């Protein structure tokens, strides 16, 4: 890390940042918390809650206001994600995909026509988007796209299957990576905007997941789907670069999600430790619990600084590939560890739904997997060190 990247490293929050954080906290406590356990049990998508996220400006936070967004910086987005994920990581990942992957990709690389037609309803929360990269045999290996987009002159003919698609059923607009020129390998991949309801576009069954159960995850199938050429993002063969650039920003969103999960579990653990009594006194007075809380707080604070640093790098126009990967790697590790400790502090109560921490532990695991596994993040970091 160069000294230049440390210049001005000050996370003093502005009044606007504090207002965003407070608004997200109020929404999480008042709107998300009351039904969060029921949505987890019944695998119920938070339709009304997602709609309100759009009304509050949380679905297109970094998009210019002229395209329906909130026009805020990445740090504001991270602050909101953290507060929302303290309560409901499922709502958080819905918000993250729409912001970090779909809206960001269109805002950064879409044509003016695409921004007006597709970005505006996405950023304003009128509709939800999905990012379609993973396939049955191409998860982390984005170069091995078997979904094809055959060039037919004025349109592409799209065929293939995408797996593990967040917002798969609830989305109206999908960004789909597909191979057009196999002989060019990754340089032959395109990103196409595909609208729900297009003939030949089918949605598979909802995945029955361990965690983030309220977010809908589906396979998407494309059978001779006709996609107009004007729905291609960027030049011919730009799809791979588009996906990699978009995923770099996506790591910041998932890092913020992991941070929120860890921080939420910590807050509940402190509250429980003060209330729960053993041997005639609150367990918070036992040194073993104090050591756990101290270590949790320290690691979460370190993760927070790494997430904020990645956000600041992106806002400052610095190269944020390394800091985003580091934040995602470390925050997800802390989330898994801290939620496990939270269950331990709660004892038997931590193993039942009503105390929330067992759900947080299940939710935390996915942060080590999507947007690239922990091992992928280490590869990205190493590549940045050695290049």
């Amino acid at each position: 890390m160069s000294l230049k990247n440390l210049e001005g490293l000050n996370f003093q929050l502005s009044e606007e940042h504090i207002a965003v954080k407070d608004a997200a906290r109020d929404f999480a406590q008042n709107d998300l918390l009351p039904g969060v356990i029921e949505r987890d049990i019944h695998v119920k998508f938070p339709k009304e809650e997602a709609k309100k996220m759009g009304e509050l400006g949380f679905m297109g936070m970094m998009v210019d206001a002229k395209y329906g967004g909130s026009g805020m910086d990445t740090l504001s987005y991270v602050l909101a994600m953290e507060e929302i994920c303290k309560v409901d990581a499922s709502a958080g990942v819905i918000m993250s995909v729409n912001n970090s992957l779909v809206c960001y990709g269109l805002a950064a690389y879409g044509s003016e026509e695409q921004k007006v037609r597709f970005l505006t309803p996405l950023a304003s929360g009128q509709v939800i988007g999905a990012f379609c990269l993973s396939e049955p045999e191409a998860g982390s290996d984005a170069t091995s796209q078997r979904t094809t987009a055959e060039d037919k002159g004025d349109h592409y003919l799209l065929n293939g299957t995408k797996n593990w698609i967040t917002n798969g059923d609830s989305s109206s607009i999908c960004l789909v990576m597909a191979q057009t020129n196999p002989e060019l390998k990754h340089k032959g991949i395109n990103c196409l905007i595909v609208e729900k309801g297009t003939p030949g576009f089918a949605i598979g069954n909802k995945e029955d997941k361990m965690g983030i159960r309220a977010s809908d995850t589906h396979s998407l199938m494309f059978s001779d789907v006709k996609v107009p050429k004007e729905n291609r993002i960027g030049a011919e063969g730009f799809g791979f670069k588009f996906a990699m650039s978009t995923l770099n920003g996506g790591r910041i969103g998932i890092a913020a999600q992991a941070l929120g999960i860890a921080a939420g579990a910590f807050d509940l653990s402190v509250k429980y430790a003060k209330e729960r009594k053993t041997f005639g006194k609150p367990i918070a007075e036992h040194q073993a619990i104090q050591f756990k809380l101290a270590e949790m707080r320290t690691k979460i604070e370190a993760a927070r600084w790494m997430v904020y640093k990645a956000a600041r790098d992106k806002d400052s126009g610095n190269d944020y590939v390394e800091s985003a990967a580091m934040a995602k790697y470390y925050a997800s590790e802390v989330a898994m560890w801290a939620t496990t400790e939270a269950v331990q502090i709660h004892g038997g109560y931590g193993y039942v739904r009503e105390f929330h921490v067992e759900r947080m532990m299940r939710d935390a695991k996915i942060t080590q997997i999507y947007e690239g596994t922990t091992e992928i993040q280490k590869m990205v970091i190493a590549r940045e060190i050695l290049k």
Side-chain angles (χ1 to χ4, degrees), residues 162-295:
K162 295 294 181 179
N163 271 22
W164 314 114
I165 306 303
T166 300
N167 302 338
D169 187 38
S170 59
S171 61
S172 297
I173 297 170
C174 298
L175 305 187
V176 183
M177 304 324 130
Q179 180 63 262
T180 298
N181 296 294
E183 67 279 4
L184 297 179
K185 299 182 179 179
H186 69 281
K187 293 183 179 180
I189 296 171
N190 284 312
C191 177
L192 306 179
I193 304 169
V194 184
E195 297 179 80
K196 188 176 183 180
T198 304
F201 180 2
I203 299 168
N205 293 331
K206 182 185 290 187
E207 300 291 349
D208 189 7
K209 300 170 297 186
M210 177 175 77
I212 57 165
R213 288 170 57 79
S215 69
D216 64 316
T217 304
H218 294 256
S219 293
L220 303 182
M221 285 80 77
F222 306 95
S223 179
D224 287 341
V225 176
K226 187 176 179 180
V227 183
K229 275 283 181 71
E230 56 265 28
N231 282 24
R232 185 189 69 211
I233 297 178
E236 183 72 38
F238 181 67
F240 179 76
K241 288 185 178 180
F242 171 86
M244 293 302 98
S245 174
T246 304
L247 287 174
N248 285 332
R251 291 186 179 110
I252 298 176
I254 297 308
Q257 181 191 29
L259 171 61
I261 294 170
F266 171 77
D267 289 347
L268 289 173
S269 296
V270 172
K271 181 177 182 292
Y272 180 82
K274 290 179 177 179
E275 296 172 350
R276 171 67 169 160
K277 291 184 178 181
T278 60
F279 303 103
K281 60 182 179 181
I283 63 172
E285 295 183 22
H286 296 302
Q287 193 175 66
I289 300 299
Q290 291 175 355
F291 282 1
K292 285 184 181 294
L293 294 174
E295 191 174 3

Side-chain angles (χ1 to χ4, degrees), residues 52-200:
K52 187 163 185 181
M53 281 198 290
E55 293 170 354
L56 292 170
F58 292 145
M59 295 298 273
M61 294 190 68
M62 298 168 286
V63 176
D64 193 295
K66 71 178 181 179
Y67 299 118
S70 300
M72 297 182 184
D73 59 11
T74 311
L75 184 55
S76 296
Y77 165 58
V78 161
L79 291 168
M81 275 289 295
E82 180 183 350
E83 291 300 325
I84 286 170
C85 292
K86 282 181 180 180
V87 173
D88 187 354
S90 291
V93 75
I94 295 165
M95 172 181 163
S96 178
V97 168
N98 206 71
N99 274 277
S100 294
L101 301 180
V102 183
C103 284
Y104 170 77
L106 283 166
Y109 302 108
S111 66
E112 182 63 22
E113 181 184 355
Q114 289 169 349
K115 291 177 184 179
V116 171
R117 182 179 172 189
F118 300 113
L119 179 59
T120 300
L122 285 162
S124 60
Q126 297 173 44
V127 300
I128 295 174
F131 185 82
C132 307
L133 177 64
S134 295
E135 298 185 359
E137 296 183 29
S140 298
D141 183 8
T143 63
S144 300
Q145 296 294 299
R146 296 199 175 185
T147 297
T148 60
E150 187 180 355
D151 192 334
K152 292 294 187 179
D154 64 344
H155 68 276
Y156 294 97
L157 205 58
L158 185 64
N159 284 281
T161 299
K162 295 294 181 179
N163 271 22
W164 314 114
I165 306 303
T166 300
N167 302 338
D169 187 38
S170 59
S171 61
S172 297
I173 297 170
C174 298
L175 305 187
V176 183
M177 304 324 130
Q179 180 63 262
T180 298
N181 296 294
E183 67 279 4
L184 297 179
K185 299 182 179 179
H186 69 281
K187 293 183 179 180
I189 296 171
N190 284 312
C191 177
L192 306 179
I193 304 169
V194 184
E195 297 179 80
K196 188 176 183 180
T198 304

Side-chain angles (χ1 to χ4, degrees), residues 13-34:
L13 300 182
S14 67
E15 290 185 6
E16 182 180 7
H17 287 135
I18 294 171
V20 169
K21 187 176 179 69
D22 289 346
R25 182 189 297 117
D26 289 345
F27 167 70
Q29 293 295 326
N30 297 328
D31 293 86
L32 292 177
L33 183 57

